[in-house]
Amino acid sequence: QKLRETHEIVGERLQEVRAGKETVEEIVHGAQHQLHQDDEQTHLPPMSLYEITSYLTEWIHTLHDVLLQNKQATHEGIWKAYHDLTVKTLYPWDRQYLQRMPKRKNDESVFLSVATYRDENCLNTVKWAFEKAKYPEKLTIGIVQQNCVENCRSGVLEGGKIEDV
């Protein structure tokens, strides 16, 4: 009840977020900002892959710099630095992205997004998705798969150790 009174239930307003009318931050904090829809911006084509990857690459570099400045911070300080950067930069960009998003398909197709990290079973996941689909011809799968081919290192292990793998 308290969350509903303070407008902190985002799921009930996902349509507004998807339409670019509100951001998650505005919903959580109850801000009554109006979406400034510049006529020129609303007529822009969908963002190109280059625009998206360029922005996100630059954002990752900025995040890296911000976190380096907070190297000695507690986990709360690191979270605050991440949160503040996200609210200041990523939320406004996301709103612009949503405004320029292409129209959604209305053909009963299904898009399955798969992200994997060094997952040798990804091929089986894709095969099973098609095998289990009622209408496999309507299924489209997008995969982002991170593999390491040479000079591979483990993640941080117990005791802060990193090993060759």
Side-chain angles (χ1 to χ4, degrees):
Q1 183 66 22
K2 182 177 186 267
L3 291 175
R4 186 165 274 119
E5 289 170 7
T6 58
H7 306 287
E8 293 185 38
I9 299 177
V10 176
E12 294 177 349
R13 295 171 61 193
L14 281 179
Q15 291 294 351
E16 289 89 347
V17 173
R18 287 186 181 132
K21 295 177 182 173
E22 289 186 284
T23 64
V24 171
E25 187 69 12
E26 289 168 344
I27 292 170
V28 169
H29 295 291
Q32 298 300 317
H33 301 283
Q34 290 294 319
L35 180 60
H36 301 290
Q37 290 189 348
D38 181 2
D39 287 338
E40 190 175 304
Q41 182 172 317
T42 58
H43 297 303
L44 291 175
M47 286 187 185
S48 68
L49 188 56
Y50 177 79
E51 282 180 277
I52 295 166
T53 56
S54 295
Y55 178 83
L56 294 176
T57 299
E58 182 59 34
W59 189 85
I60 290 289
H61 289 293
T62 303
L63 175 62
H64 178 77
D65 293 343
V66 166
L67 294 180
L68 274 177
Q69 294 169 8
N70 290 277
K71 198 173 185 177
Q72 302 301 319
T74 64
H75 66 280
E76 289 98 350
I78 292 169
W79 173 253
K80 182 176 179 349
Y82 167 80
H83 175 270
D84 292 351
L85 177 66
T86 299
V87 169
K88 180 178 165 190
T89 59
L90 207 51
Y91 281 0
W93 179 83
D94 186 55
R95 174 180 273 171
Q96 181 184 17
Y97 171 79
L98 289 170
Q99 289 174 345
R100 292 179 58 188
M101 188 176 266
K103 290 201 181 281
R104 296 202 170 132
K105 289 183 176 182
N106 193 14
D107 60 0
E108 299 181 357
S109 63
V110 174
F111 179 78
L112 174 62
S113 178
V114 179
T116 72
Y117 179 72
R118 297 183 184 178
D119 180 3
E120 60 276 352
N121 290 312
C122 184
L123 178 61
N124 290 329
T125 301
V126 171
K127 286 164 86 175
W128 291 334
F130 281 105
E131 287 170 6
K132 296 192 180 292
K134 187 172 183 178
Y135 301 104
E137 67 278 4
K138 294 183 179 183
L139 178 62
T140 301
I141 299 178
I143 300 174
V144 175
Q145 185 168 7
Q146 290 181 283
N147 292 321
C148 183
V149 179
E150 59 185 54
N151 300 322
C152 302
R153 306 279 289 163
S154 69
V156 178
L157 304 173
E158 193 171 322
K161 237 177 14 174
I162 298 176
E163 298 176 351
D164 292 331
V165 293

